[in-house]
C-alpha cells in the first residue's frame, strides 16, 4: 500500500512544484514506484518532467470534475518508475464538488495505492476543494518554504489548516513530516532567524536540511528534467538526495 505525501504551503512561490518533482524523481531513482499528482492548475509538474499536455487529455482536475476515472489520467515519464497525473491549466478552482474524500477514495478504489510505493501530491496555495482533497488523501505533509517572514506566516496558516482537517475527522492520521527551507542561504540573517523560529515552534527534528540557492533547479525545469538528471553534480541535486534520506528516517 502506497504512502501518500502532500507538498503544501499556503504561500505561493515557496518551491512546492520544484520540491514535488525532485523529491518524486529522487524516490524513483532509489527504485520506488512513484506517482506524482499535480493538483496545482499552473501545471508545473508536467513542465518539470518534460510531459507535453495534449488537448482534451485526462487530468486530475478532469477526474475531480467527474469527466473520467483517475487512472485514465496516469502518464509515464521518461524515468523508470515515475508516473504523472497532470493538471488542467483551464480548470476553475471552484469546480470541485463537495466530496472532500473524492481523491482518497479513487486512489484506493482504482488500485493506485496498490500499484505504487509513494504517491506525491503537489498542491495549490489556495484554500479550496483541491487542497482539502489533497490533505484528506495524505498520510504526511512536507512543507517547503523560502525563509523570510511571509513564508513563515504561510507555514503557520497551513499548520492551523492541518489541525482543522484532523479535528473535523476528515483525516485523523494526517501529520507533518517536515519543513523544508528552499532557496536558502544561511549567511543571510533573516534566513537563520526564520529557520530558528520554525524550529522552536514545531521542533528541531522537523526542520529538514535545506535546498541551497542553485540556478540549476530553474535550468532543469527549462529542459523538462529533474535536477538530478540535468545537473547530477549540482548543489541542488545533492541537497534533494539528502532531503529524501531525511524524509525516509522521519517516516520510519
Amino acid at each position: 500500500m502506497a504512502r501518500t505525501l502532500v507538498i503544501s504551503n499556503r504561500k505561493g512561490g515557496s518551491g512546492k512544484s520544484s520540491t514535488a518533482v525532485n523529491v518524486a524523481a529522487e524516490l524513483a531513482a532509489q527504485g520506488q514506484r512513484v506517482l506524482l499528482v499535480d493538483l496545482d492548475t499552473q501545471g508545473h509538474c508536467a513542465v518539470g518532467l518534460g510531459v507535453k499536455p495534449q488537448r482534451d487529455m485526462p487530468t486530475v482536475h478532469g477526474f475531480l470534475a467527474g469527466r473520467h476515472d483517475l487512472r485514465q489520467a496516469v502518464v509515464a515519464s521518461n524515468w523508470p518508475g515515475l508516473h504523472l497525473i497532470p493538471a488542467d491549466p483551464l480548470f476553475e478552482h471552484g469546480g470541485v464538488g463537495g466530496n472532500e474524500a473524492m481523491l482518497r477514495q479513487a486512489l484506493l478504489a482504482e488500485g493506485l495505492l496498490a500499484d505504487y510505493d509513494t504517491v506525491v501530491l503537489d498542491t495549490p496555495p489556495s484554500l479550496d476543494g483541491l487542497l482539502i482533497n489533497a490533505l484528506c488523501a495524505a498520510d504526511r505533509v512536507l512543507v517547503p518554504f523560502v525563509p523570510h517572514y511571509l513564508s513563515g506566516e504561510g507555514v503557520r496558516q497551513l499548520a492551523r489548516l492541518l489541525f482543522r482537517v484532523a479535528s473535523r475527522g476528515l483525516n485523523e492520521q494526517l501529520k507533518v513530516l517536515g519543513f523544508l527551507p528552499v532557496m536558502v542561504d544561511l549567511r543571510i540573517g533573516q534566513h537563520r532567524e526564520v529557520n530558528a523560529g520554525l524550529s522552536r515552534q514545531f521542533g528541531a527534528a522537523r526542520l529538514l536540511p535545506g535546498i541551497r540557492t542553485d540556478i540549476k533547479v530553474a535550468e532543469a525545469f527549462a529542459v523538462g528534467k529533474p535536477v538530478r538528471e540535468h545537473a547530477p553534480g549540482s548543489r541542488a541535486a545533492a541537497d534533494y538526495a539528502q532531503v529524501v534520506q531525511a524524509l525516509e528516517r522521519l517516516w520510519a
Side-chain angles (χ1 to χ4, degrees), residues 6 28 41 53 71 82 99 107 116 133 142 144 150 177 186 192 196 198 204 222 228:
V6 163
T41 54
R71 181 178 284 277
L82 179 53
N99 184 357
L107 286 168
Y116 295 93
N133 256 271
L142 174 62
L150 290 177
L177 188 59
L186 293 179
R192 296 195 302 272
L198 291 176
R228 73 178 321 278

Side-chain angles (χ1 to χ4, degrees), residues 1-250:
M1 185 71 69
R3 310 172 300 177
T4 304
L5 176 66
V6 163
I7 313 293
S8 187
N9 190 325
R10 291 294 314 284
K11 173 73 172 62
S14 56
K16 292 185 295 296
S17 294
S18 57
T19 296
V21 166
N22 287 296
V23 165
E26 189 64 34
L27 289 169
Q30 294 179 5
Q32 292 197 31
R33 300 165 300 166
V34 181
L35 177 63
L36 175 58
V37 183
D38 191 358
L39 286 153
D40 191 339
T41 54
Q42 294 181 92
H44 287 169
C45 289
V47 176
L49 293 180
V51 174
K52 305 296 184 184
Q54 305 297 318
R55 182 178 177 86
D56 297 327
M57 72 183 296
T59 65
V60 65
H61 299 101
F63 156 73
L64 290 168
R67 294 197 293 268
H68 52 73
D69 289 343
L70 185 61
R71 181 178 284 277
Q72 288 178 250
V74 176
V75 296
S77 76
N78 291 321
W79 294 276
L82 179 53
H83 291 164
L84 171 71
I85 296 183
D88 178 0
L90 300 180
F91 182 79
E92 295 184 5
H93 279 239
V96 178
N99 184 357
E100 295 162 324
M102 187 175 180
L103 180 60
R104 178 177 64 192
Q105 291 167 352
L107 286 168
L108 181 60
E110 296 186 30
L112 293 168
L113 293 182
D115 287 350
Y116 295 93
D117 299 304
T118 303
V119 176
V120 178
L121 306 174
D122 189 19
T123 62
S126 54
L127 177 53
D128 59 14
L130 296 174
L131 179 55
I132 297 300
N133 256 271
L135 295 177
C136 287
D139 301 312
R140 298 290 186 272
V141 181
L142 174 62
V143 186
F145 67 96
V146 180
H148 57 63
Y149 173 76
L150 290 177
S151 287
E153 183 58 29
V155 169
R156 285 181 278 272
Q157 289 180 13
L158 179 63
R160 290 191 288 269
L161 176 60
L162 298 181
F163 175 78
R164 195 171 84 192
V165 167
S167 64
R168 288 173 56 191
L170 297 174
N171 186 356
E172 296 176 355
Q173 308 306 313
L174 184 64
K175 296 179 181 178
V176 172
L177 188 59
F179 299 91
L180 175 62
V182 299
M183 295 180 279
V184 65
D185 184 344
L186 293 179
R187 296 172 298 180
I188 300 174
Q190 188 177 57
H191 286 202
R192 296 195 302 272
E193 291 169 9
V194 171
N195 284 357
L198 291 176
S199 178
R200 287 192 299 270
Q201 184 172 0
F202 298 105
R206 298 294 172 191
L207 188 66
L208 295 165
I211 308 298
R212 291 167 288 179
T213 300
D214 192 340
I215 191 61
K216 296 300 181 183
V217 176
E219 288 180 0
F221 264 82
V223 297
K225 295 181 178 180
V227 71
R228 73 178 321 278
E229 300 292 339
H230 171 65
S234 65
R235 292 182 300 179
D239 289 348
Y240 275 114
Q242 185 178 16
V243 164
V244 167
Q245 291 175 6
L247 293 177
E248 295 288 4
R249 289 194 301 270
L250 288 169

